[in-house]
Amino acid sequence: MSKFNGKALLPGNFVRHWMLPAASTDLQQMPALFMQQVRKYFFPRNPDKNVPVGQISLRVNEVCNLRCGSCGQWGENGHLRKKLGRGEKLAQLDFDVVKRVIFETRRDRPFYYVWGGEPTMWKPLLPLFQELARHNLRGSVVTNAQELDKILEDLIGTGALSILFLSLDGWDSASQNIMRAPAGGGASDNFEKTMAVMEKAKEIKARKGLKFPMVIPITVISNNNYSHLAEIHRLVLDKAQLHPFYFGWFITEARALMHEKVFELRFGHKPQNHHGYLKSCFNDVDPKAAAEQIKELKAMSKGKVCIPQFLPDIEKEAQIRRYYSDHSWHCGYPKCESIYYTAEVSPDGRVTPCRDYQDFTAGNINEQGFYDIWNGPGFKKFRSEMKKGLMPVCTRCCGLQGF
């Protein structure tokens, strides 16, 4: 995989075999997909200028039915785990406010990235995509699939769902249950549900003659699965279009302390949410074994419909070893770009520039118009500060690579 303008490109095989043919046969999808990529790769990066918004990321709720070790929200040091432990109420977005934002921003035609918490536990999820369809807009949803089956056909039927991201970290039921355990403890059927949703989405698309949504399982490489990556990929070879493997987003205690000093110097207060990325589930990944698995699964995928992708785009043993041992290495992504085209909306209405480290608030959509925030002094200050250089935690952030 290659880069352009400091951001990761989609795999060429995926673009040729899936994106271009699908977009050319669905003229309703073409404008949304085209504009998203143009804004991502070609728009100028001037922190003082007003810019159109290319993507609005809605974290619709904080509640989740699973407890995944790789999660910065509900993992071992997750900030929502701590929030619940303090007895605080978990937040969710007000759908009426979301509808206002959709109406306000419709002329920019942003792509909507919907996640949580677990978005299928947010009751207006289907009405949200119906609202997007009403304005001829498109989006994606990131889900663990636990509660998806009952609304899947209706979601696809809106025509607004371009991408269905599904969490898949295990190669069978037992391994998925270790990494994505149920919130209440005990056994889980999440593996079966995830695989069933992939099959059902494939069946619905075939029955209705649809190219969208693209079905994209996401695998987070961890201590538990690094030696089983090929087995996981084999599961989806005929069920999905793209299969991203993420090297884990995590920080060290040393980087956390460095970040606190840099953040406070730049923005005047001490950050908190980055502690959720202090995780132990990435400490024992064997770089040699992971590299061997990547080589095997790439060979396996030749001629198959599902294209593997690695984020960041490292595949060799030495690179993987450096990723886990040298947090000063930005993996070839020296600048934060997503802050120029993506707005992150939190369940309490706060708008932040960063998906992972949400300690800087530029405004609140419950109290302000969207563009008063997006083109306001807070966002511009953050962009200006980030132009000076990355913060210590930024080297392990998917937004840094353009996703």
Side-chain angles (χ1 to χ4, degrees), residues 7 10 14 19 29-43 45 52-57 108-114 138-140 162-163 165 212 340-342 355 402-403:
K7 294 168 288 297
L10 289 168
F14 173 67
M19 292 295 290
Q29 292 276 359
M30 179 73 86
L33 296 172
F34 178 75
M35 285 308 301
Q36 184 197 30
Q37 297 303 305
V38 167
R39 286 167 179 157
K40 181 175 177 178
Y41 292 105
F42 296 104
F43 268 43
R45 307 301 193 228
V53 60
Q55 178 172 297
I56 296 178
S57 176
D108 277 351
R109 302 190 62 77
F111 190 82
Y112 280 80
Y113 179 94
V114 183
R138 300 293 180 267
S140 63
S162 293
I163 304 172
F165 291 108
F212 293 95
Y340 290 94
Y341 53 85
T342 301
R355 181 181 306 164
F403 290 92

Side-chain angles (χ1 to χ4, degrees), residues 43-245:
F43 268 43
R45 307 301 193 228
N46 185 334
D48 298 319
K49 296 285 187 179
N50 290 354
V51 291
V53 60
Q55 178 172 297
I56 296 178
S57 176
L58 300 176
R59 189 159 63 98
V60 294
N61 61 359
E62 293 183 329
V63 66
C64 189
N65 44 20
L66 298 185
R67 294 293 181 265
C68 308
S70 61
C71 181
Q73 300 180 55
W74 287 104
E76 60 190 288
N77 290 301
H79 60 88
L80 293 183
R81 181 187 287 264
K82 293 179 179 178
K83 180 177 181 178
L84 190 64
R86 295 191 298 267
E88 297 177 25
K89 184 179 179 180
L90 299 177
Q92 63 175 341
L93 277 172
D94 184 320
F95 183 49
D96 287 334
V97 175
V98 172
K99 286 195 291 185
R100 172 174 58 78
V101 170
I102 292 171
F103 186 80
E104 278 184 71
T105 61
R106 68 196 186 282
R107 288 187 178 85
D108 277 351
R109 302 190 62 77
F111 190 82
Y112 280 80
Y113 179 94
V114 183
W115 65 306
E118 171 47 43
T120 58
M121 298 178 73
W122 187 61
K123 290 183 179 180
L125 181 63
L126 178 58
L128 166 60
F129 278 88
Q130 292 169 335
E131 186 72 9
L132 292 178
R134 195 164 74 87
H135 294 284
N136 198 22
L137 298 171
R138 300 293 180 267
S140 63
V141 63
V142 185
T143 172
N144 61 35
Q146 194 70 11
E147 301 293 336
L148 183 60
D149 179 76
K150 56 191 175 185
I151 62 167
L152 179 61
E153 183 145 7
D154 288 337
L155 266 179
I156 294 174
T158 66
L161 182 62
S162 293
I163 304 172
L164 177 60
F165 291 108
L166 298 168
S167 302
L168 181 66
D169 286 348
W171 57 97
D172 58 18
S173 182
S175 57
Q176 179 89 343
N177 195 41
I178 290 171
M179 290 171 276
R180 297 190 171 274
S188 171
D189 58 357
N190 184 248
F191 178 81
E192 289 80 6
K193 286 193 172 182
T194 300
M195 298 307 298
V197 162
M198 274 192 267
E199 288 284 4
K200 185 172 181 177
K202 181 180 177 181
E203 183 275 324
I204 293 169
K205 289 165 62 178
R207 172 164 39 91
K208 296 188 174 183
L210 301 173
K211 299 292 186 182
F212 293 95
M214 298 288 179
V215 176
I216 302 182
I218 297 174
T219 298
V220 180
I221 300 171
S222 71
N223 299 344
N224 298 298
N225 66 6
Y226 69 84
S227 60
H228 298 272
L229 304 181
E231 289 176 71
I232 298 172
H233 189 56
R234 187 175 288 112
L235 293 169
V236 303
L237 282 174
D238 63 344
K239 298 178 178 64
Q241 286 71 60
L242 183 69
H243 187 186
F245 289 83

